[in-house]
Coordinates of all heavy atoms in Angstrom, one line a residue:
K34 N -8.5 7.1 5.7 CA -7.3 7.9 5.7 C -7.6 9.3 6.1 O -8.7 9.8 6.1 CB -6.7 7.9 4.2 CG -6.3 6.5 3.7 CD -5.9 6.5 2.3 CE -7.1 6.7 1.4 NZ -6.8 6.6 -0.1
P53 N -6.8 17.1 -11.0 CA -7.6 15.9 -10.8 C -7.1 14.8 -11.7 O -6.5 15.0 -12.8 CB -9.0 16.3 -11.3 CG -8.8 17.4 -12.2 CD -7.6 18.2 -11.7
V55 N -9.2 12.8 -13.3 CA -10.1 13.0 -14.4 C -11.1 14.1 -13.9 O -11.4 14.2 -12.7 CB -10.9 11.7 -14.8 CG1 -10.0 10.8 -15.6 CG2 -11.5 11.1 -13.6
T164 N -24.9 16.7 -9.1 CA -23.8 16.4 -8.2 C -22.8 15.4 -8.8 O -21.7 15.1 -8.2 CB -24.3 15.8 -6.9 OG1 -25.1 14.6 -7.2 CG2 -25.2 16.8 -6.2
A165 N -23.0 14.9 -10.0 CA -22.1 13.9 -10.6 C -22.4 13.8 -12.1 O -23.4 14.4 -12.6 CB -22.4 12.5 -9.9
L169 N -17.7 11.4 -16.1 CA -16.6 11.2 -15.2 C -16.1 9.7 -15.2 O -15.0 9.4 -15.3 CB -16.9 11.7 -13.8 CG -15.7 11.9 -12.9 CD1 -14.7 12.9 -13.4 CD2 -16.1 12.2 -11.5
M173 N -12.8 7.8 -16.8 CA -12.0 6.9 -16.1 C -11.7 5.6 -17.0 O -10.5 5.2 -17.1 CB -12.7 6.4 -14.8 CG -12.8 7.5 -13.8 SD -13.9 7.0 -12.4 CE -12.9 5.8 -11.6
F190 N -7.0 4.8 -9.4 CA -8.4 4.9 -9.1 C -8.8 4.1 -7.9 O -9.8 4.4 -7.2 CB -9.2 4.5 -10.3 CG -9.1 5.4 -11.5 CD1 -8.9 4.9 -12.8 CD2 -9.3 6.8 -11.3 CE1 -8.8 5.8 -13.9 CE2 -9.2 7.7 -12.4 CZ -9.0 7.2 -13.7
S191 N -8.1 3.0 -7.6 CA -8.4 2.2 -6.5 C -8.1 2.9 -5.1 O -8.5 2.3 -4.1 CB -7.7 0.8 -6.6 OG -6.3 1.0 -6.3
Q192 N -7.4 4.0 -5.1 CA -7.0 4.7 -3.9 C -8.2 5.3 -3.2 O -8.2 5.5 -2.0 CB -6.0 5.8 -4.2 CG -4.7 5.4 -4.7 CD -3.9 4.6 -3.7 OE1 -4.1 4.7 -2.5 NE2 -3.0 3.7 -4.2
F193 N -9.3 5.5 -4.0 CA -10.5 6.2 -3.4 C -11.2 5.3 -2.5 O -11.2 4.0 -2.7 CB -11.4 6.8 -4.5 CG -10.7 7.9 -5.3 CD1 -10.0 7.6 -6.5 CD2 -10.7 9.2 -4.8 CE1 -9.4 8.6 -7.2 CE2 -10.1 10.2 -5.6 CZ -9.4 9.9 -6.7
C194 N -11.9 5.9 -1.5 CA -12.5 5.1 -0.5 C -13.6 4.2 -1.1 O -14.3 4.5 -2.0 CB -13.1 5.9 0.6 SG -14.5 6.9 0.1
N195 N -13.7 3.0 -0.5 CA -14.8 2.0 -0.9 C -15.8 1.9 0.2 O -15.6 2.1 1.4 CB -14.1 0.6 -1.1 CG -13.1 0.7 -2.2 OD1 -13.4 1.2 -3.3 ND2 -11.9 0.2 -2.0
K196 N -17.0 1.5 -0.2 CA -18.2 1.4 0.7 C -18.7 0.0 0.7 O -18.4 -0.8 -0.2 CB -19.3 2.3 0.3 CG -18.9 3.8 0.3 CD -18.7 4.3 1.7 CE -18.4 5.8 1.7 NZ -18.1 6.3 3.1
I204 N -26.0 5.3 -1.8 CA -25.5 6.4 -2.7 C -26.1 6.4 -4.0 O -26.5 7.5 -4.5 CB -23.9 6.2 -2.8 CG1 -23.2 6.4 -1.5 CG2 -23.4 7.3 -3.8 CD1 -21.8 5.9 -1.5
L208 N -28.5 9.4 -5.8 CA -28.2 9.9 -7.2 C -29.3 9.8 -8.1 O -29.6 10.6 -9.0 CB -26.9 9.4 -7.7 CG -25.6 9.8 -7.1 CD1 -24.4 9.0 -7.7 CD2 -25.4 11.3 -7.3
S244 N -20.3 -0.2 -7.6 CA -19.2 0.3 -6.8 C -18.5 1.5 -7.5 O -18.2 2.5 -6.8 CB -18.1 -0.8 -6.7 OG -18.6 -1.9 -5.9
L245 N -18.5 1.5 -8.8 CA -17.9 2.6 -9.6 C -18.8 3.8 -9.4 O -18.3 4.9 -9.2 CB -17.8 2.2 -11.1 CG -17.1 3.2 -12.0 CD1 -15.7 3.5 -11.6 CD2 -17.2 2.8 -13.4
F246 N -20.1 3.6 -9.5 CA -21.1 4.7 -9.3 C -20.9 5.3 -7.9 O -20.8 6.5 -7.7 CB -22.5 4.1 -9.4 CG -23.4 4.9 -10.2 CD1 -23.5 4.6 -11.6 CD2 -24.2 5.9 -9.6 CE1 -24.4 5.4 -12.3 CE2 -25.0 6.6 -10.4 CZ -25.2 6.4 -11.7
A247 N -20.7 4.4 -6.9 CA -20.6 4.9 -5.5 C -19.3 5.6 -5.3 O -19.2 6.6 -4.6 CB -20.7 3.7 -4.5
L248 N -18.2 5.2 -6.0 CA -16.9 5.8 -5.9 C -17.0 7.3 -6.4 O -16.5 8.2 -5.7 CB -15.9 5.1 -6.7 CG -14.4 5.5 -6.7 CD1 -13.5 4.4 -7.0 CD2 -14.2 6.6 -7.8
V249 N -17.7 7.5 -7.5 CA -17.8 8.8 -8.1 C -18.7 9.6 -7.2 O -18.5 10.8 -6.9 CB -18.3 8.7 -9.5 CG1 -18.7 10.1 -10.0 CG2 -17.3 8.1 -10.4
G250 N -19.9 9.0 -6.7 CA -20.8 9.7 -5.9 C -20.2 10.2 -4.6 O -20.6 11.3 -4.1
T251 N -19.3 9.4 -4.0 CA -18.7 9.7 -2.7 C -17.5 10.6 -2.8 O -17.3 11.5 -2.0 CB -18.3 8.4 -2.0 OG1 -19.4 7.5 -1.9 CG2 -17.8 8.7 -0.6
N252 N -16.7 10.4 -3.8 CA -15.4 11.1 -3.9 C -15.3 12.3 -4.9 O -14.4 13.0 -4.9 CB -14.3 10.1 -4.3 CG -14.1 9.0 -3.2 OD1 -13.5 9.2 -2.2 ND2 -14.7 7.9 -3.5
G253 N -16.4 12.4 -5.8 CA -16.3 13.5 -6.7 C -16.4 14.8 -6.0 O -17.2 15.1 -5.2
Q254 N -15.4 15.7 -6.4 CA -15.3 17.0 -5.8 C -15.9 18.0 -6.8 O -15.5 18.0 -8.0 CB -13.9 17.4 -5.5 CG -13.6 18.9 -5.4 CD -14.2 19.5 -4.1 OE1 -14.2 18.9 -3.0 NE2 -14.8 20.7 -4.2
G255 N -16.9 18.8 -6.4 CA -17.5 19.8 -7.3 C -16.4 20.8 -7.8 O -15.6 21.2 -7.0
S305 N -17.3 18.0 -12.0 CA -16.7 17.4 -10.8 C -15.4 16.7 -11.3 O -15.2 16.4 -12.4 CB -17.6 16.4 -10.1 OG -18.0 15.3 -11.0
G306 N -14.6 16.4 -10.3 CA -13.3 15.7 -10.6 C -12.9 14.8 -9.5 O -13.5 14.9 -8.3
L307 N -12.0 13.9 -9.7 CA -11.5 13.0 -8.7 C -10.1 13.5 -8.3 O -9.1 13.4 -9.2 CB -11.4 11.6 -9.2 CG -12.7 10.9 -9.5 CD1 -12.5 9.5 -10.1 CD2 -13.6 10.8 -8.2
F308 N -9.9 13.9 -7.1 CA -8.6 14.5 -6.6 C -8.2 13.5 -5.5 O -8.8 13.4 -4.5 CB -8.8 15.9 -6.0 CG -9.3 16.9 -7.0 CD1 -10.6 17.0 -7.3 CD2 -8.4 17.7 -7.6 CE1 -11.1 18.0 -8.2 CE2 -8.8 18.7 -8.5 CZ -10.2 18.8 -8.9
V309 N -7.0 13.0 -5.6 CA -6.5 11.9 -4.7 C -6.2 12.6 -3.3 O -6.7 12.1 -2.3 CB -5.3 11.2 -5.2 CG1 -4.8 10.2 -4.2 CG2 -5.7 10.5 -6.5
Q311 N -7.1 15.6 -2.1 CA -8.3 16.2 -1.5 C -9.2 15.2 -0.9 O -9.9 15.4 0.1 CB -9.0 17.1 -2.6 CG -10.3 17.7 -2.1 CD -11.5 16.8 -2.3 OE1 -11.5 15.9 -3.2 NE2 -12.6 17.0 -1.6
S312 N -9.3 14.0 -1.6 CA -10.2 13.0 -1.1 C -9.8 12.4 0.2 O -10.5 11.7 0.9 CB -10.4 11.8 -2.2 OG -9.2 11.0 -2.2
C313 N -8.5 12.6 0.6 CA -8.0 12.2 1.9 C -8.3 13.1 3.0 O -8.1 12.8 4.2 CB -6.5 12.0 1.8 SG -6.0 10.6 0.7
C314 N -8.8 14.3 2.7 CA -9.2 15.3 3.7 C -10.5 14.9 4.3 O -11.5 14.9 3.6 CB -9.2 16.7 3.1 SG -7.6 17.4 2.5
L333 N -7.3 22.6 -8.1 CA -7.9 22.8 -6.8 C -6.9 23.3 -5.9 O -5.8 22.8 -5.8 CB -8.5 21.5 -6.3 CG -9.1 21.4 -4.9 CD1 -10.3 20.5 -4.9 CD2 -8.1 20.9 -3.9
I349 N -11.4 19.7 5.9 CA -12.2 20.6 5.1 C -13.7 20.4 5.6 O -13.9 19.4 6.3 CB -12.1 20.5 3.6 CG1 -12.4 19.0 3.2 CG2 -10.6 20.8 3.2 CD1 -12.4 18.8 1.7
Y351 N -17.5 19.4 4.3 CA -18.4 18.9 3.2 C -19.7 19.7 3.2 O -20.5 19.5 2.3 CB -18.7 17.4 3.4 CG -17.5 16.5 3.4 CD1 -17.7 15.2 3.8 CD2 -16.2 17.0 3.1 CE1 -16.6 14.3 3.8 CE2 -15.1 16.1 3.1 CZ -15.3 14.8 3.5 OH -14.2 13.9 3.6
N371 N -25.8 12.2 2.5 CA -24.9 12.4 1.4 C -23.6 11.7 1.4 O -23.0 11.4 0.4 CB -24.7 13.9 1.2 CG -26.0 14.6 0.8 OD1 -26.4 14.6 -0.4 ND2 -26.7 15.2 1.7
Y372 N -23.1 11.5 2.6 CA -21.7 10.9 2.8 C -21.7 9.6 3.6 O -20.6 9.0 3.8 CB -20.8 11.9 3.3 CG -20.7 13.2 2.4 CD1 -21.4 14.3 2.7 CD2 -19.9 13.2 1.3 CE1 -21.4 15.5 1.9 CE2 -19.9 14.3 0.5 CZ -20.6 15.4 0.8 OH -20.5 16.5 0.0

Side-chain angles (χ1 to χ4, degrees):
K34 297 175 290 189
V55 287
T164 57
L169 192 64
M173 293 170 68
F190 290 133
S191 72
Q192 297 293 334
F193 294 96
C194 69
N195 297 310
K196 299 291 183 182
I204 296 167
L208 287 172
S244 295
L245 184 62
F246 225 91
L248 182 153
V249 169
T251 305
N252 296 281
Q254 163 68 43
S305 63
L307 293 177
F308 298 83
V309 178
Q311 176 273 335
S312 74
C313 294
C314 293
L333 177 143
I349 59 176
Y351 301 169
N371 291 279
Y372 301 98

